Amino acid sequence: MTSTRLSRLELLAPAKNLECGIAAIDHGADAVYIGASRFGARVAAGNSVDDISQLCRYAHQFGAKVYVTVNTIVYDDELDDTRRLLADLRDACVDAILVQDMAVLQMAKALGLTCHASTQTDNRQAEKVAWLAGQGFSRVVLARELSVEEISHIHAQVPDVELEVFVHGALCVSYSGLCYASQHCFGRSANRGACAQFCRMKFDLIDSEGREIEYQRHLLSLKDLNQSAHLLELAEAGATSFKIEGRLKDVAYVKNVTAAYSELLNQIVRQHPDRYERASQGSVAYTFRPDLNKSFHRGYTTYFLHGRQPDIASFDTPKALGEMVGTVKELRGNSFTVAGTASFSNGDGLCFIDDSRELQGFRVNRVEGNRLFPQLMPRALRRGMRLYRNSDQAFERLLSKPSAERKIPVTMHLEPTADGFALTMDGAMVEMAIPHQTAEKPQRDNIIRQLTKLGGTPFTCVDVVLPHPFPYFIPSSQLAELRRQAVSLRQAQSLRRPNPEFAPSKPGVCAVQTPTQLPPAYRVPYLSNIANDEARDFYGQHGLADASPAFELREPATGALLMQCRHCLRYALGYCVRHGGRQPQWAEPLYLQLGNGQRFRLEFDCRHCQMNVYA
C-alpha cells in the first residue's frame, strides 16, 4: 500500500517590522514576508539585516519561514549594494527572496539563494509561469486578478512550480509591475517601492465631446480582497501559499487577520487530514476571537475568483469603512440612537456615507445603551443612514495585550542506559551518566512533573513515556538538567536549517523558451522593466530583440500606456454590452480627469476583457 504525500498549506503573513513578524508567527503564520533596508516594493517598510536574522531564528523554531522582498527594479549604480545585501541575507538564513529584476535573480542564484518570482513580474499565464520556472524560480506569486479556473489551469500546466496567491488585503487596480501612473504623475515609481496611490484619487469621467458622465468619484479605487470563504477552492486549484497583503499594516491588523486565516486553514486540515497539512509546527491558543470585519478594509470583494463581478470597486471612498453596525434610528440634540445589535464603547470610531456620497467619520464620546453621544455631532447624519465602525476600542484593547501563545506539542521518552539515562524529545536524544538508584516509593509523578516544566520554551509536553517497570530514583536536579539539554538540542535542530541549495528547474518544464514568446503585454518595449545593464544582457541572451529601458528611465511621453486593468468602468457602470449591459450613449474615447485638469485616455480592449489607461 503506497502512502500519499500530503499537500502543505502555507499561510504567508506580512511583516512591517520585527514586532509584526514575531506576532504573525505567534498567531499562526507558516511564513512571513518582510522588506530589507532597501530594494523592497514598499519603501516605507525597510528592516535591518540584524532584525531579519532575529526573525529567522524565531520563525525557524516552529519550522516557519522568512521571505525577504528584494523586488524593485535596480539601477546600475545600485547593483553592488544589492549584491552585498543578498549575501547578508544569505548569512541571515532567510528562506527565500522575492524578485522582480532579472539581474537580482542572477546574483541570488550565484549565492545559492532560493528565489520566488514577485507578482511584480506580471504572472497571469501558464506560459509565463513556465518561463519563470525555467529561469530558476521555485515559486511564482500569481496576479491577484486570476480566477480559480485560471489558477487551476496554470497548476495543471506547471505542476512542479509552487503557486502563491493573495487571499486578503488591498488590491492594485493595474496588473502588478505594469503600473506607471505614479511615476508619470509624481515621479514616484511603483516598481521602485514608492507608489503614490494614483488609483485612490478622485476623477471625473468625461467623453470625447466633454460631457461629464461621473463627477469626482474614486473610479479606480477597489475594495479589499477577502477569500476567507474560498481557501479550499484555491487549495484544490493548486495554490500552496495563501498570502495576506499588508506590509504597511500595524501589529493589531497582523494579529487579527493572521489568526482568522490560520483557523480557517486548520479547519481545512481537520476536514481533509488525508490531503492537507500545515507547513509549520505548533498550535496556537488565542485570547480573542478573530474577526476580519474589525480590521482595516474598504469593503470586501472576491475580485475575479469566479469571473467578472459587478461590485468590486469602492467609488465613494478609498478609506476604511469597517463593519456595518446598524442604522440611525433617531436624532436628538447632541446624540442619536442606533437600530441594530452591536454594542459600543467610549472612543469607538464610526463613519457613514453622506448624501453627497462622501465618507464622514466621528468619535463616540459617551455610550448609553444604543444611544451614542459623539464628540461633535455630524451635521450630515440622517435618520436611516447606515453606520460603520472602523475603530472598535474594546477589540483594539484586546489586541494591544499579549493575545496568542504558540506551542509545539512534544512527547518525551525516558529510559535507562548502561551507565545512566537517556531522554528523547521528538527525536532529539540526550544521555547523562547518572548512577542507578532503586526508588523507595513510586517516582512517576515527580518525573512527569520535572520533565514537563517547559515554560519559556516553544514546546508543550503531551506525554511522558516510561518503560514498565521503572524502579529508579533520579534526583529532581538531574531530571531538570536532562530536560534542559533535550530542549536545547531540539531547538538547535530546528535552527540548523541551511538555505536550500539552488536547483535548476527540470529539463522540459519550461513551455516558453524565450522572452519573445512572453504574453502580448511585453510587446510594449518598456514593460519588461529593464533598469540596468545586467538585466538588459539577460533579456538579450534570451532572445528579446528590443531590450528597451524601463519607463522610469525614459523621457515622459504623451500617450504612454500607464495601466492595464481587469477592472473595467464600462462594466462597472452597467454599459458592457457583451455582459448584458446597456448601450452607452457617450462618445468614445473616454477620459479620466483629475481635479487639476490632467486627463488620461481609456481604451476598452474587449478582446482581452481589459481596460487600459494612457497618459
Side-chain angles (χ1 to χ4, degrees), residues 203-205 219-220 569 591-594 598-600 602:
F203 298 94
D204 299 329
L205 181 64
L219 296 172
L220 298 180
L569 284 173
Y591 296 86
L592 292 173
Q593 181 172 282
L594 288 171
Q598 192 172 8
R599 287 187 175 187
F600 306 87
L602 299 182

Side-chain angles (χ1 to χ4, degrees), residues 412-416 421-424 430 447 451 464-467 470 474 479 482:
M412 294 187 177
H413 293 77
L414 180 67
E415 55 189 2
F421 296 91
L423 178 63
T424 303
V430 296
I447 289 171
L451 294 183
V464 176
V465 179
L466 302 174
F470 192 85
I474 306 174
L479 286 169
L482 270 170

Side-chain angles (χ1 to χ4, degrees), residues 15-19 34-38 43-57 66-68 85 88-89 92 94:
K16 177 172 69 173
N17 52 32
L18 176 60
E19 179 192 14
I34 188 170
S37 55
R38 297 180 66 185
V43 72
N47 294 273
S48 69
V49 172
D50 285 344
D51 278 358
I52 292 171
S53 178
Q54 187 175 334
L55 180 58
C56 288
R57 289 193 297 272
V66 176
Y67 307 139
V68 180
L85 173 63
D88 289 342
L89 293 173
V94 304

Side-chain angles (χ1 to χ4, degrees), residues 222-240:
L222 300 181
K223 294 180 177 179
D224 284 3
L225 187 65
N226 182 339
Q227 306 290 26
S228 59
H230 305 282
L231 300 181
L232 180 58
E233 285 179 79
L234 289 166
E236 290 174 338
T240 57

Side-chain angles (χ1 to χ4, degrees), residues 321-395:
L321 276 175
E323 59 180 334
M324 205 282 204
V325 290
T327 58
V328 178
K329 184 178 181 180
E330 176 202 22
L331 292 98
R332 185 193 304 166
N334 64 342
S335 68
F336 64 94
T337 56
V338 180
T341 59
S343 59
F344 299 92
S345 299
N346 296 345
D348 278 356
L350 302 183
C351 59
F352 61 96
I353 303 291
D354 68 16
D355 294 333
S356 301
R357 296 189 303 199
E358 294 284 347
L359 184 71
Q360 301 277 358
F362 61 94
R363 285 279 178 184
V364 176
N365 191 46
R366 190 169 88 251
V367 176
E368 294 180 2
N370 70 335
R371 180 166 291 280
L372 308 183
F373 295 79
Q375 287 178 335
L376 183 65
M377 190 71 177
R379 292 182 179 181
L381 196 63
R382 301 282 183 269
R383 188 172 180 271
M385 281 183 167
R386 290 187 170 194
L387 280 175
Y388 301 86
R389 176 164 50 195
N390 53 18
S391 178
D392 184 327
Q393 289 298 296
F395 192 70

Side-chain angles (χ1 to χ4, degrees), residues 85-87 89-91 94-97 107-115 136 499-502:
L85 173 63
L86 291 172
L89 293 173
R90 176 199 58 191
D91 295 343
V94 304
D95 297 280
I97 60 166
M107 296 178 199
K109 286 165 62 175
L111 290 166
L113 283 159
T114 297
C115 296
N499 197 309
E501 202 67 29
F502 171 76

